[in-house]
Amino acid sequence: MADKAIEPPRIYPTFRYRDAANMIDWLEKAFGFAVHAKYMDGDTVAHAQMTFGSSMIMLGSVRDDPYGAMVGGPGENAGKSVYVAVEDTDAAYERAKAAGAKILEEPTDRDYGSRDFICADPEGNVWSFGTYWPKPTDRA
């Protein structure tokens, strides 16, 4: 029986933190995460990716922007959501919409090349689906 290639992860829990820079250090120390990428905007973490084995989380600083309003801050909706990498955003959007997902943001082309949409499940959890698919084995 031939070995099947293992697909990179498609699901990336995402978090927003009040002090994201210190939380990155804490996540390394407390949980053994490793920094894969960290992009700063002055003193603010614009975006970071941390690996744990073959899995990855994404995080950034709390910001007063439309996405921040959707997911809330730490202690509200815990400043988190789940991101799922898909090959076809529009097909995923149609499927979610047909199943009754509450659409929070229609499919949108991002300046970094991804096409995303954001929705909420029936319990109010925020889910983002997009074509951005970072792989722990790729250079940041």
Side-chain angles (χ1 to χ4, degrees):
M1 183 172 181
D3 289 334
K4 290 185 177 182
I6 296 176
E7 177 177 87
R10 288 180 181 258
I11 300 174
Y12 299 89
T14 61
F15 304 86
R16 289 234 173 141
Y17 292 108
R18 289 181 193 89
D19 189 352
N22 280 333
M23 284 303 303
I24 289 169
D25 294 339
W26 188 87
L27 290 165
E28 284 182 297
K29 180 179 178 180
F31 298 149
F33 279 89
V35 174
H36 179 257
K38 183 166 85 172
Y39 305 101
M40 301 297 291
D41 183 9
D43 293 337
T44 301
V45 177
H47 176 77
Q49 297 168 183
M50 299 187 77
T51 58
F52 187 85
S54 63
S55 297
M56 185 182 289
I57 64 170
M58 297 188 285
L59 64 97
S61 297
V62 170
R63 292 188 294 280
D64 184 18
D65 60 11
Y67 186 72
M70 287 180 222
V71 299
E76 297 167 4
N77 190 21
K80 51 95 178 100
S81 68
V82 177
Y83 175 85
V84 181
V86 296
E87 293 178 17
D88 185 339
T89 299
D90 295 299
Y93 165 81
E94 291 299 334
R95 181 177 182 160
K97 188 174 178 181
K102 180 180 178 184
I103 304 302
L104 302 174
E105 183 178 76
E106 298 287 327
T108 303
D109 293 322
R110 306 289 183 197
D111 59 0
Y112 51 88
S114 187
R115 182 163 174 78
D116 303 340
F117 78 93
I118 304 170
C119 65
D121 67 25
E123 300 255 342
N125 296 303
V126 176
W127 293 79
S128 300
F129 293 82
T131 55
Y132 179 62
W133 190 357
K135 296 158 186 75
T137 56
D138 291 348
R139 285 183 56 111

